[in-house]
Amino acid sequence: MKAVFLDRDGVINRYPGDAKYVTKWEEFRFLPNTKKAIALLNKNKYKIFVISNQAGVGKEIYSQKALDTITKRMLIELKEFPATIDRVCYCTHREEDNCSCRKPKAGLIYLATKATSISIKDSFLIGDTIRDVLTARAAGCKSILVFSGKEKPDNSAQWEMQPDYVFANLYAAAKFIVSAD
């Protein structure tokens, strides 16, 4: 069984900006064709997992309850499309907590796939930062960097690791994944 792991901010919804957070549902904005991309992956039998650092909770910028509300509303809107996310896993720790689940460590991927028959090496992680690329490498899956969030193509000379693939957005990445299958 194969999966696609998705970062949230900058991949599914609009990137809020450096050092900024989506703190309530009213600030959450789906990026164009996100629902269509997830539905395409669903149709092609990929399990979809959201794995995202959400340190704003650990920093007390917003509450766990606010994060839960955002997640619930996101899943409801996707389901109405219809598009399905199989599981959402967040790391709410701060960087200095040095936990095993904070990306670029692979803990969220292992948590998401616990008790599943997912083949991580046959799966993809789609993110908008080099931290996501490093996470994919740490877990042993293929990395896709999208330019719909934080990272920009002009910065490629400074990247500490090159992604396996790059695309403009989640929909372009999803079309590639299903065509390569």
Side-chain angles (χ1 to χ4, degrees), residues 31-69:
L31 287 167
N33 293 319
T34 295
K35 296 173 187 175
K36 191 174 175 181
I38 293 169
L40 177 64
L41 292 166
N42 291 155
K43 182 181 170 198
N44 285 273
K45 308 287 186 243
Y46 281 86
K47 294 289 185 186
I48 309 296
F49 300 96
V50 172
I51 58 165
S52 179
N53 290 345
Q54 293 293 323
V57 173
K59 294 176 181 178
E60 298 181 356
I61 294 170
Y62 54 98
S63 67
Q64 181 66 51
K65 183 178 180 189
L67 179 60
D68 293 344
T69 298

Side-chain angles (χ1 to χ4, degrees), residues 20-166:
K20 294 185 180 170
Y21 299 91
V22 176
T23 63
K24 56 189 173 195
W25 174 248
E26 293 74 22
E27 297 169 350
F28 186 98
R29 299 280 180 273
F30 280 102
L31 287 167
N33 293 319
T34 295
K35 296 173 187 175
K36 191 174 175 181
I38 293 169
L40 177 64
L41 292 166
N42 291 155
K43 182 181 170 198
N44 285 273
K45 308 287 186 243
Y46 281 86
K47 294 289 185 186
I48 309 296
F49 300 96
V50 172
I51 58 165
S52 179
N53 290 345
Q54 293 293 323
V57 173
K59 294 176 181 178
E60 298 181 356
I61 294 170
Y62 54 98
S63 67
Q64 181 66 51
K65 183 178 180 189
L67 179 60
D68 293 344
T69 298
I70 293 165
T71 303
K72 182 179 176 185
R73 298 283 300 271
M74 173 185 76
L75 294 173
I76 288 169
E77 279 209 23
L78 284 167
K79 193 172 186 176
E80 289 171 352
F81 185 73
T84 303
I85 290 175
D86 293 278
R87 188 165 184 196
V88 178
C89 296
Y90 294 125
C91 171
T92 57
H93 300 105
R94 299 165 301 151
E95 196 160 350
E96 55 269 24
D97 294 335
N98 198 29
C99 67
S100 63
C101 59
R102 185 170 171 80
K103 296 186 293 179
K105 294 178 183 169
L108 286 177
I109 289 179
Y110 302 141
L111 177 64
T113 59
K114 189 176 180 181
T116 71
S117 58
I118 298 296
S119 170
I120 293 175
K121 72 176 180 55
D122 294 322
S123 298
F124 295 85
L125 188 157
I126 303 174
D128 69 318
T129 67
I130 296 304
R131 177 178 292 225
D132 295 312
V133 173
L134 294 168
T135 304
R137 185 66 46 94
C141 63
K142 295 178 266 309
S143 62
I144 296 179
L145 182 66
V146 292
F147 297 123
S148 52
K150 181 176 179 143
E151 194 54 69
K152 303 298 175 220
D154 298 347
N155 299 336
S156 63
Q158 288 83 39
W159 296 346
E160 58 189 286
M161 181 175 287
Q162 293 297 313
D164 293 313
Y165 306 97
V166 295

Side-chain angles (χ1 to χ4, degrees), residues 6-18:
L6 303 175
D7 180 43
R8 195 190 79 180
D9 301 338
V11 175
I12 294 174
N13 60 287
R14 190 184 66 211
Y15 179 64
D18 292 349

